[in-house]
């Protein structure tokens, strides 16, 4: 196991952006940038032992700043959408940046995702990224100190541990926005991937992708992934929810107890043999099928076409600050937010299957 740091590029104001590469003894590599504490690549062997990079992303700082749809980025202080780009805390009303159709606040306007984070190597297999979000940034109350630790061990588990503390009462909901393609980046769509999501319920949304506040059963709908289905099998079915979002782009209420690290999803690609299991301590996971990707050129100039990557964004439910019945992500001044997400890539070599 080792960690290497290399220069990645310069911000427009001249600040350096670095890339950290954590490698394990199976040849897996996690590449993480100080820009947005962003997962830039994840390299893992396929069933034949060939290495594939399973993440969408860009090769330059400029491309991340100009073209990104949050590829691999850490998102915060509040991931996903906030309806009306506003919330109340007690008697105080907070207006946030309305960066989506001038109405909703999406991914906090990218505040955490496009900031330059500090980084320190904390172990032979772990890097800690840090950022201090100023009070009032994008409308969010409090100076918030954030730590995100990425580690990659020989069990092929990429673990992301988050911590945040604000000096004011506020909402905190952090995630990572990695787009995966288990055939490898640049190898077509993810419609042929099989996915299983461990959730009996999901949160249906309105035309602006804001949840109604209900948790509906997935049973009898194209959202039922309690048993594995190909992503492409039902994605274009006639269904009001799918039509509002142009395909899967919904929060699932992960079964089991929030706070406990439990499996929320499993993805398998027969062509490469690569499997990914996702675990979270959080109450929800956004399954986004990359419906809005539109061919923007990414790494090595390869276009990121519609549905060429999928995201499993572990999170509190969208618009939680305005939905009192959802599990709450409200933190008092000084109270610590903690969460953990694991992306596991089990050994998929045909040799290991035969044994
Ligand atoms: C949202 C999508 C959005 C994407 C990129 C996802 O979390 O659910 O609707 O297009 O982020 O911003």
């Amino acid at each position: 196991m080792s960690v290497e740091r290399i220069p990645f590029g310069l911000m427009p104001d001249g600040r350096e952006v670095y890339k950290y590469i954590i490698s394990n003894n199976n040849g897996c590599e996690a590449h993480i940038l100080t820009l947005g504490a962003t997962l830039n690549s994840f390299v893992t062997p396929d069933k034949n032992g060939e290495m594939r990079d399973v993440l969408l992303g860009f090769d330059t700082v400029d491309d991340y700043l100009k073209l990104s749809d949050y590829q691999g980025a850490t998102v915060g202080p509040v991931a996903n959408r906030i309806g009306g780009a506003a919330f109340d805390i007690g008697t105080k009303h907070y207006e946030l940046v309305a960066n989506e159709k001038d109405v909703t606040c999406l991914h906090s306007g990218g505040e955490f995702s496009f900031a330059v984070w500090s980084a320190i190597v904390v172990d032979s297999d772990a890097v800690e990224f840090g950022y201090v979000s100023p009070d009032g940034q994008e409308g969010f109350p409090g100076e918030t100190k954030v730590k995100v630790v990425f580690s990659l061990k020989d069990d092929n588990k990429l673990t992301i541990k988050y911590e945040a503390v604000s000096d004011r009462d506020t909402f905190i909901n952090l995630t990572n926005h990695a787009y995966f393609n288990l055939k490898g980046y640049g190898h077509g769509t993810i419609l042929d991937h099989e996915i299983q999501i461990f959730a009996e319920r999901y949160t249906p949304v309105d035309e602006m992708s804001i949840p109604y506040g209900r948790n509906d059963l997935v049973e009898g709908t194209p959202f039922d992934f309690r048993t594995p289905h190909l992503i492409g099998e039902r994605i274009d079915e006639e269904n009001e929810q799918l039509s509002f979002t142009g395909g899967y782009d919904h929060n699932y209420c992960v079964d089991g107890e929030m706070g406990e690290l439990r499996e929320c999803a499993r993805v398998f690609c027969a062509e490469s043999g690569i499997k990914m299991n996702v675990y979270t301590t959080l109450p929800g996971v956004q399954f986004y099928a990359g419906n809005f990707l539109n061919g923007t050129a990414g790494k090595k100039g390869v276009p990121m076409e519609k549905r060429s990557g999928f995201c499993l964004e572990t999170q509190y439910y969208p618009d939680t600050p305005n939905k009192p019945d959802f599990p709450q992500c409200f933190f008092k001044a000084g109270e610590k937010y903690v969460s953990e997400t694991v992306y596991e890539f089990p050994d998929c070599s045909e040799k290991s299957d035969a044994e």
Side-chain angles (χ1 to χ4, degrees), residues 166-188:
S166 183
D167 62 359
R168 307 260 306 270
D169 294 359
T170 194
F171 293 99
I172 302 176
N173 182 14
L174 309 178
T175 195
N176 184 280
H177 207 297
Y179 290 72
F180 295 94
N181 184 320
L182 302 187
K183 282 186 287 202
Y185 171 57
H187 287 85

Side-chain angles (χ1 to χ4, degrees), residues 23-29 43-45 51 153-156 345:
S23 313
N24 74 8
N25 292 319
N26 309 319
C28 293
E29 286 176 10
V43 179
T44 188
M51 304 311 284
K153 301 209 183 294
D154 282 338
D155 54 11
N156 297 350
F345 295 84

Side-chain angles (χ1 to χ4, degrees), residues 126-162:
V127 184
E128 177 183 305
F129 293 81
Y131 175 61
V132 181
S133 165
D135 182 26
Q137 191 76 24
E138 307 297 3
F140 289 86
E143 181 187 88
T144 305
K145 296 192 169 112
V146 196
K147 271 201 311 200
V148 183
V149 180
F150 292 78
S151 65
L152 172 65
K153 301 209 183 294
D154 282 338
D155 54 11
N156 297 350
K157 284 185 179 170
L158 174 67
T159 297
I160 312 178
K161 287 188 181 174
Y162 300 86

Side-chain angles (χ1 to χ4, degrees), residues 26-29 42-54 156 181-185 187 269 271-275 345-351:
N26 309 319
C28 293
E29 286 176 10
F42 189 86
V43 179
T44 188
D46 66 13
K47 61 185 176 188
N48 302 315
E50 303 289 329
M51 304 311 284
R52 303 202 191 196
D53 176 5
V54 295
N156 297 350
N181 184 320
L182 302 187
K183 282 186 287 202
Y185 171 57
H187 287 85
C269 168
E271 189 268 326
S272 64
I274 295 174
K275 299 172 190 160
F345 295 84
D347 183 356
C348 69
S349 61
E350 291 196 322
K351 195 173 130 270

Side-chain angles (χ1 to χ4, degrees), residues 120-301:
I120 37 170
V121 177
V122 285
D123 217 326
S124 60
D125 60 14
V127 184
E128 177 183 305
F129 293 81
Y131 175 61
V132 181
S133 165
D135 182 26
Q137 191 76 24
E138 307 297 3
F140 289 86
E143 181 187 88
T144 305
K145 296 192 169 112
V146 196
K147 271 201 311 200
V148 183
V149 180
F150 292 78
S151 65
L152 172 65
K153 301 209 183 294
D154 282 338
D155 54 11
N156 297 350
K157 284 185 179 170
L158 174 67
T159 297
I160 312 178
K161 287 188 181 174
Y162 300 86
E163 273 185 30
V165 183
S166 183
D167 62 359
R168 307 260 306 270
D169 294 359
T170 194
F171 293 99
I172 302 176
N173 182 14
L174 309 178
T175 195
N176 184 280
H177 207 297
Y179 290 72
F180 295 94
N181 184 320
L182 302 187
K183 282 186 287 202
Y185 171 57
H187 287 85
T189 75
I190 44 78
L191 296 172
D192 59 354
H193 290 33
E194 193 179 86
I195 187 167
Q196 184 171 14
I197 304 177
F198 300 98
E200 265 181 34
R201 291 177 180 272
Y202 77 118
T203 51
V205 292
D206 65 16
E207 293 94 323
M208 293 295 291
S209 284
I210 301 298
Y212 293 122
R214 306 191 312 258
N215 304 339
D216 282 6
L217 289 169
V218 293
E219 190 173 0
T221 76
F223 293 89
D224 190 350
F225 286 103
R226 289 172 302 165
T227 55
H229 287 268
L230 294 182
I231 295 177
E233 186 185 322
R234 301 165 296 177
I235 195 168
D236 290 320
E237 269 185 15
E238 242 174 76
N239 172 284
E240 190 185 58
Q241 282 299 306
L242 288 173
S243 75
F244 283 171
T245 47
Y248 297 109
D249 192 358
H250 289 75
N251 169 70
Y252 282 78
C253 312
V254 179
D255 293 342
E257 286 296 307
M258 92 181 234
E260 278 174 21
L261 190 66
R262 63 221 190 279
E263 196 172 6
C264 65
R266 241 176 232 192
V267 190
F268 170 62
C269 168
E271 189 268 326
S272 64
I274 295 174
K275 299 172 190 160
M276 181 175 81
N277 305 333
V278 184
Y279 304 80
T280 183
T281 56
L282 291 170
V285 64
Q286 182 89 4
F287 170 41
Y288 171 50
N291 312 299
F292 298 120
L293 294 172
N294 59 6
T296 302
K299 289 184 274 194
K300 299 190 178 125

